[in-house]
Amino acid sequence: MSEPHILIVDDDTVLLQALPAFLRLRMGTVKIDTCDSALEALSQIAAWDYDAIISDIKMPGMDGLSLMAEVRLLRPNTPTLLITGHGEHDLAVRALQGGAYAFIQKPIDRDSFMVSLIGAIQKRQLSRDTERGS
Amino acid sequence: MEVANTSDFVQTQQNNLEALASETQSTLHERVRVLEERVRKAEERRRALIHIMGDLNELNKRLAEQRKAMIHILGDYEKDRRRMAAQTERLDNSRRALLHILQDSHQSNLRLEKTRKAMIHIMDDLHKTTEEIKQREKQLTEKQEQLVQAAKLATLGELTTGVAHELNNPLNNIGLFLGNAIDRIDLGVWEKNQIVEELHHAMQQVGKATEIISHLRTFGRAAPVSRELVPIKMVIVRSISLIQEQLRLRQIRTELDLCSENPMVIGNSIQLEQVFLNVLTSARDALANATRKLIQVRCHVEQGKVKLAFCDTGPGIAEGLEQRIFDPFFTTKEVGAGTGLGLSITYGIIKEHQGTISVEKSRPGEGAIFLIELPLASP
Ligand SMILES: Nc1ncnc2c1ncn2[C@@H]1O[C@H](COP(=O)(O)OP(=O)(O)OP(=O)(O)O)[C@@H](O)[C@H]1O
Ligand SMILES: [Mg+2]
């Protein structure tokens, strides 16, 4: 697995500090960008081909679900992981229906989150390999 | 008869005269003169008698006239008597009428007495009713207090959804910071100050969660409504902070323009916080489909009053509804979406604080402006 490039989108800046630290600890080599709004994220996504995008759903302005819809158009092969509040089942369902690779519940269970994220990155890198191969 | 006697007497005298024929002529003469004298006197007597007869006749006539007059008088008297009788009868009638009236008045008196008794009864009833009304009023106040508590809990329930999200964030961050510390130790790549830093971050997030929860706790508490000196600006700021996350997620900006002094009012800070939360949530709901989303809160002191204004950029209040929106259960929201209690409870609380709340007539294209005035606590 080459050094993954990941985008994290959340309006809570404390999370934008804690989550990258966690990923670096677990993954060692990883390149992480952060945005505190979906609009800012869109310009990042246009510029970079991320291996995975992690986004909160509830954000002011454009929310995580709309952001994912844009991603599906712009980067159909980039997996998106959406973060929902604990017990917000309807949002989780909508996330999956909208094409999310996985949904993550806050407070985050770190181990299962890592499993999902690694899965997403591998999927993305696999698809990139097949793109190149063909 | 007297006449017959006189002729008998003349006869006798003649016999005597014949017997005395022998007597002298002069004696005879004398006798004739005496006799003639007698005749004359008898004649006088006869005339006197005739006179007397005439007088008697006259007397008789006068008597007859007097009798007639008497009859007349008697007739008059009879008339008088009849008149008297009629009067007596009239008097009698009057007397009877009077008796009747007296009886009536007696009856009236009795009736009056009955009425008076009835009045006393009614007064008694009234007294009882008044007491009942007082009792009812007390019950109503109790119900109102329950309603206020229920509405508070409804507000709380609504807030909870937002707050759950707000709590999720610090909890999640705490998990991440602690997890990072554990990871560092597990991986053996730790330095003491790194671990302390992670824990420190976690502590800060615990503080944030505590703040949210303690605030909700004070708001939801069914505390007896106490009165104290309330710094109104602080209550406004607290209300806004409680709803801030919801506003932020809906991209509603808030602008505060609070006076430099620190006005104090007498009242209950939790109730006042509920007032501001109600007005703010109403504004939040009104801004759902607005293009410009701004809530302005202004506060200034004027003529012994704190004057607050809550302005939004929503559709405003439809004309004619300026009063009705304060009615209990008045809502324009869909069935099941709103209770219509928010503003009526707000109104009640402000009234309890000797204040006023009104909504300014919305100008077309402008949102709603709620004005709240509260008397300043005398220093
Ligand atoms: N800022 C506002 N702009 C426009 N309309 C408003 C505003 N505030 C209140 N209203 C109107 O007043 C009505 C009554 O408000 P109120 O707060 O009493 O009840 P509600 O908001 O409908 O119900 P609930 O408070 O239970 O959610 C609302 O339905 C709405 O039509
Ligand atoms: Mg309301």
Side-chain angles (χ1 to χ4, degrees), chain B residues 19-33:
Chain B
L20 283 169
S22 46
E23 288 196 345
T24 65
Q25 224 25 74
S26 63
T27 324
L28 240 161
H29 239 353
E30 187 54 36
R31 289 260 173 120
V32 165
R33 205 198 38 94

Side-chain angles (χ1 to χ4, degrees), chain B residues 34-60:
Chain B
V34 170
L35 276 174
E36 275 175 353
E37 185 66 11
R38 280 192 184 168
V39 167
R40 198 187 41 90
K41 272 189 185 159
E43 179 60 15
E44 264 176 16
R45 238 179 265 153
R46 198 191 56 91
R47 275 198 206 130
L49 262 174
I50 284 170
H51 219 86
I52 285 165
M53 289 292 282
D55 275 3
L56 264 174
N57 214 7
E58 190 68 18
L59 203 74
N60 250 342

